[in-house]
């Protein structure tokens, strides 16, 4: 704990300096000053927790110094030392609320000073907890102020600034959870780690706050305002924080940061950049450490091309029909490369996964094999990077090919149309009549296609597909049963439960409990 001694008498300073073994008691004399103006400058430089201050001093007296430090919100606690005749003067300082005690100079001994320092330390610690809470609220206000300057925003920090977002690495999933349950116990450990980086040679931590489960936002201020932006120094600091956190927490996490050199009112722009970077983390992979401004993120208002993957899917399907697996692999690699360049295309990635998953399931159905998800975590393992997803999909199709010639049996074009329509509309109350009308054949002929080529009825296939989708939701989400049943095409949760148990042997909530226990 840092201490600054302030007294215009050198003898008094030397006496206090030698009165107790400071380091043995957990204190460090960071500086001494003989007037309030010098003390104020030293206080800004060293940011002590406690100052021992004389009342009567030239240039700037003790009372003026205490007021100046209090106005700047540095949280310093003061021990005032003076003579008997200065008591009324010292009482004004005590009324400011940041003075923990008043001591008569000639009455101070070793035990008395240690006791008063302990009281000041306790007062600082209690005040600091409240200050951190208040600072976190101020930071939130500054970051989410819709681009407008915040109340007291100038007192939070002064540019150059750097905002940092830390995010626990979690595997990529194609089914975003309705309720996030994965917290990794992260934020408590993260705040502890920041105690080691309160101030580096170039950057000072202003404060931090949690931003959803498994996320933390921190704001840093460059110490030397006149120096060029210290990007490399901040990268080194962030790298050290990341290493320390990963050792402490036992798992990886990604750090994204962004700079602001002119105006604290631009913090809302910074948080949007950081959120965009975190949202596209699958393009960076686990353990990322990057400046959000250097990433190939799409413009926020960029239009979404809903058909961008159509030609790639057609090329992939054509390669499979011709049993040209080498061409298929090349198409998939080029497709996924196009999703990363010239900018990250997260929507396109989801569309690619959806389209290839549908194609994979069609191939399974053609082979008479049970439906499966090529990216199922229990078989594919955790996937963090777009390259991992691409390789897993390529491998899944390769494994399917190796299962035998049955996997290459082609379904008739009309049945493929029927399956595509069913997969796209299973959440609705569709029947065989709806599908037959959509693809332009009779109900009877469609029944024959399902029986002849899939060895099951239309209703059996639709029911199995819906239950498969329900399983995925139950494994990955905390959605209520009424919501699950509605999302897979059942109006009645009771009917859904009956069908689920008939096909799986257990009720939906029992299935979820069993999966969560694994």
């Amino acid at each position: 704990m840092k201490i600054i001694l302030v007294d215009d008498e050198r003898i008094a300073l030397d006496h206090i300096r030698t009165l107790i073994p400071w380091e043995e008691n957990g204190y460090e004399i960071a500086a001494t000053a003989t007037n309030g103006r010098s003390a104020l400058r030293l206080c800004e430089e060293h940011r002590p927790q406690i100052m021992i201050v004389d009342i009567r001093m030239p240039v700037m007296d003790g009372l003026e110094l205490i007021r100046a430090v209090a106005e700047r919100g540095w949280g310093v606690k003061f021990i005032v030392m003076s003579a008997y005749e200065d008591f009324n003067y010292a009482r004004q300082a005590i009324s400011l609320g940041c003075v923990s005690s008043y001591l008569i100079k000639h009455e101070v001994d070793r035990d008395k000073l240690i006791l008063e320092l302990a009281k000041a330390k306790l007062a600082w610690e209690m005040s600091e907890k409240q200050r951190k809470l208040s600072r976190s609220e101020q930071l939130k206000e500054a970051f989410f102020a819709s681009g407008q300057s915040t109340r007291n925003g100038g007192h939070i920090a002064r540019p150059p600034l750097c905002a940092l977002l830390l995010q626990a690495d979690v595997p990529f999933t194609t089914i975003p959870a309705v309720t996030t349950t994965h917290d990794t116990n992260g934020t408590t450990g993260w705040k502890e780690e920041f105690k080691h980086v309160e101030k580096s040679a170039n950057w000072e931590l202003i404060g931090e706050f949690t931003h959803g489960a498994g996320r933390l936002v921190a704001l840093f201020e460059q110490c030397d305002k006149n120096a060029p932006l210290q990007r490399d120094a901040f990268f080194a600091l962030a790298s050290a924080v990341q290493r320390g956190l990963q050792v402490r927490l036992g798992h990886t996490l990604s750090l994204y940061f962004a700079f602001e050199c002119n105006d604290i009112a631009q913090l809302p722009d910074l948080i949007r950049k950081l959120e965009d970077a975190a949202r596209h983390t699958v393009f960076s992979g686990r353990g990322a450490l990057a400046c959000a401004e250097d990433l190939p993120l799409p413009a926020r208002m960029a239009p979404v091309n809903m058909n961008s993957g159509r030609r790639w899917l057609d090329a992939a399907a054509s390669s499979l029909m011709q049993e040209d697996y080498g061409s298929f692999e090349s198409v998939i690699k080029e497709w996924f490369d196009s999703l990363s360049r010239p900018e990250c295309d997260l929507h396109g990635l989801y569309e690619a996964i959806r389209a290839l998953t549908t194609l994979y399931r069609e191939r399974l159905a053609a082979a008479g094999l049970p439906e499966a998800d090529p990216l199922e975590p229990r078989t594919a393992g955790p996937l963090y990077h777009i390259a991992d997803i691409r390789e897993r999909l390529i491998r899944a199709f390769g494994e399917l090919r190796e299962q035998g010639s049955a996997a290459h049996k082609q379904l008739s074009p009309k049945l493929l149309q029927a399956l595509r329509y069913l997969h796209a509309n299973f959440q609705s109350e569709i029947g065989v009549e709806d599908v037959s009308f959509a693809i332009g054949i009779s109900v009877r002929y469609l029944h024959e296609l399902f029986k002849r080529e899939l060895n099951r009825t239309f209703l059996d296939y639709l029911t199995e597909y819906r239950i498969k989708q329900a399983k995925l939701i139950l494994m990955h989400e905390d959605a209520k049963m009424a919501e699950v049943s509605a999302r897979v095409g059942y109006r009645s949760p009771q009917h859904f439960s009956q069908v689920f148990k008939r096909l799986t042997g257990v009720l939906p909530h029992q299935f979820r409990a069993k999966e969560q226990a694994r």
Side-chain angles (χ1 to χ4, degrees), residues 6-13 15-16 19 52-57 80-86 102-110 112-113:
V6 190
D7 198 305
D8 63 332
E9 297 180 7
R10 290 287 181 184
I11 295 176
L13 288 175
H15 172 66
I16 295 298
L19 194 56
I52 301 177
V53 179
D54 187 16
I55 283 291
R56 293 189 182 275
M57 294 182 295
V80 174
M81 297 183 66
S82 197
Y84 275 122
E85 60 268 22
D86 295 326
Y102 169 72
L103 303 178
I104 306 299
K105 278 188 176 182
H106 70 271
E107 294 181 353
V108 177
D109 58 18
R110 179 181 182 277
K112 180 68 173 174
L113 183 58

Side-chain angles (χ1 to χ4, degrees), residues 77-293:
K77 293 299 177 184
F78 290 87
I79 297 175
V80 174
M81 297 183 66
S82 197
Y84 275 122
E85 60 268 22
D86 295 326
F87 177 73
N88 289 333
Y89 193 51
R91 190 162 51 190
Q92 297 179 52
I94 295 173
S95 68
L96 294 175
C98 53
V99 176
S100 67
S101 56
Y102 169 72
L103 303 178
I104 306 299
K105 278 188 176 182
H106 70 271
E107 294 181 353
V108 177
D109 58 18
R110 179 181 182 277
D111 293 338
K112 180 68 173 174
L113 183 58
I114 290 176
L115 176 63
E116 296 304 325
L117 283 168
K119 288 169 58 178
K121 178 181 178 181
L122 179 60
W124 180 87
E125 289 173 343
M126 295 177 65
S127 176
E128 182 64 9
K129 287 182 181 179
Q130 187 58 43
R131 278 184 357 104
K132 283 189 173 182
L133 289 174
S134 176
R135 193 161 55 222
S136 291
E137 291 304 315
Q138 283 185 308
L139 282 177
K140 287 181 183 179
E141 182 182 352
F143 274 107
F144 300 103
S146 301
Q148 299 177 2
S149 180
T150 62
R151 176 171 47 87
N152 298 325
H155 294 298
I156 299 174
R158 292 185 296 121
L161 304 169
C162 186
L164 176 70
L165 186 148
L166 302 89
Q167 174 173 273
D169 288 326
V170 295
F172 177 83
T173 175
T174 57
I175 306 178
V178 174
T179 303
T180 303
T181 58
H182 184 68
D183 182 63
T184 71
N185 297 317
T187 51
T188 300
W190 296 357
K191 287 187 176 182
E192 286 296 315
E193 188 65 26
F194 274 113
K195 290 181 179 178
H196 305 296
V197 292
E198 287 291 340
K199 189 172 184 179
S200 70
N202 302 92
W203 292 91
E204 179 182 1
L205 174 66
I206 301 303
E208 74 287 323
F209 59 89
T210 57
H211 185 41
R215 276 186 177 182
L216 187 102
V217 173
L219 182 66
F220 290 81
E221 179 180 344
Q222 184 171 302
C223 300
D224 187 348
K225 304 300 181 184
N226 298 317
L229 184 64
Q230 305 292 304
R231 290 174 61 98
D232 291 343
F234 188 85
F235 186 89
L237 171 63
S239 180
V241 169
Q242 185 181 48
R243 289 194 301 271
L245 287 172
Q246 290 179 160
V247 171
R248 177 188 293 271
L249 302 176
H251 60 74
T252 63
L253 54 110
S254 293
L255 277 66
Y256 300 99
F257 52 90
F259 296 96
E260 173 53 48
C261 297
N262 300 309
D263 189 358
I264 193 172
Q266 298 304 312
L267 288 181
D269 289 336
L270 291 194
I271 195 67
R272 283 191 288 270
K273 290 178 184 178
L274 297 177
E275 288 171 339
D276 283 347
R279 189 179 302 114
H280 290 80
T281 190
V282 67
F283 293 92
S284 304
R286 66 194 306 186
L289 177 60
C291 178
E293 293 144 334

Side-chain angles (χ1 to χ4, degrees), residues 318-514:
S318 176
S319 297
L320 289 176
M321 290 185 67
Q322 297 172 29
E323 300 187 10
D324 186 351
Y325 190 74
S327 294
F328 171 78
E329 186 172 337
S330 296
V331 168
I332 300 305
K333 288 183 177 179
E334 290 181 36
W335 188 356
F336 274 70
D337 285 345
S338 74
L339 299 174
S340 300
R341 293 190 296 267
E343 60 186 27
C344 303
D345 184 357
L346 186 60
H347 176 80
L349 175 60
Y350 279 104
E351 284 298 303
I353 292 171
R354 183 194 61 78
L356 288 169
T357 298
T358 299
L359 182 61
Y360 179 77
R361 287 168 173 164
E362 289 174 0
R363 303 276 297 172
L364 287 173
L369 298 172
E371 186 176 310
D373 181 356
L375 300 182
E376 164 58 42
R378 286 179 296 180
T379 56
L383 303 171
Y384 293 90
H385 192 268
I386 184 173
D388 300 331
I389 298 169
R390 179 195 66 199
E391 294 307 311
R392 175 53 198 162
L393 286 167
I394 291 173
R395 188 165 69 250
F397 278 93
E399 292 168 350
L400 179 57
R401 181 188 61 168
E402 292 171 359
Q403 290 186 39
S405 58
H408 299 283
K409 184 178 72 174
Q410 299 300 314
L411 296 180
S412 62
K414 284 297 182 183
L415 184 55
L416 283 174
Q417 280 185 269
L419 292 179
R420 290 193 184 102
Y421 184 87
L422 185 149
H423 294 161
N425 297 278
F426 73 94
Q427 303 96 330
S428 306
E429 290 189 55
I430 61 170
V432 67
E433 294 84 0
D434 302 301
V435 180
S436 63
F437 179 78
I439 65 175
I441 63 174
S442 69
V443 171
R444 180 177 178 180
Y445 184 46
L446 183 58
H447 276 304
E448 290 178 359
L449 289 178
F450 268 90
K451 194 64 178 176
R452 182 173 68 241
E453 298 187 32
L454 297 179
N455 196 32
R456 52 173 62 85
T457 67
F458 171 88
L459 182 59
D460 286 343
Y461 184 91
L462 175 60
T463 302
E464 291 169 8
Y465 189 82
R466 283 172 165 169
I467 297 305
K468 288 278 187 181
Q469 300 307 307
K471 285 182 177 180
L472 291 174
I473 297 172
L474 291 168
M475 284 190 291
H476 297 289
E477 301 187 31
D478 284 337
K480 295 180 179 180
M481 291 305 163
E483 180 186 346
V484 177
S485 64
R487 286 170 60 182
V488 297
Y490 291 96
R491 282 191 176 182
S492 167
Q494 291 77 19
H495 182 214
F496 163 68
S497 295
Q498 293 170 359
V499 174
F500 192 97
K501 184 173 183 180
R502 176 164 57 82
L503 266 66
T504 66
V506 294
L507 292 169
H509 71 274
Q510 294 171 329
F511 175 84
R512 170 182 280 163
K514 183 178 179 182

Side-chain angles (χ1 to χ4, degrees), residues 42-86:
L42 290 169
C43 186
E44 183 172 13
E45 178 183 348
H46 294 283
R47 296 295 175 92
Q49 288 75 41
I50 300 173
M51 296 181 74
I52 301 177
V53 179
D54 187 16
I55 283 291
R56 293 189 182 275
M57 294 182 295
V59 185
M60 176 188 282
D61 64 31
L63 185 57
E64 292 173 311
L65 171 62
I66 293 169
R67 282 176 176 158
V69 172
E71 287 173 358
R72 285 161 174 76
W74 291 336
V76 179
K77 293 299 177 184
F78 290 87
I79 297 175
V80 174
M81 297 183 66
S82 197
Y84 275 122
E85 60 268 22
D86 295 326

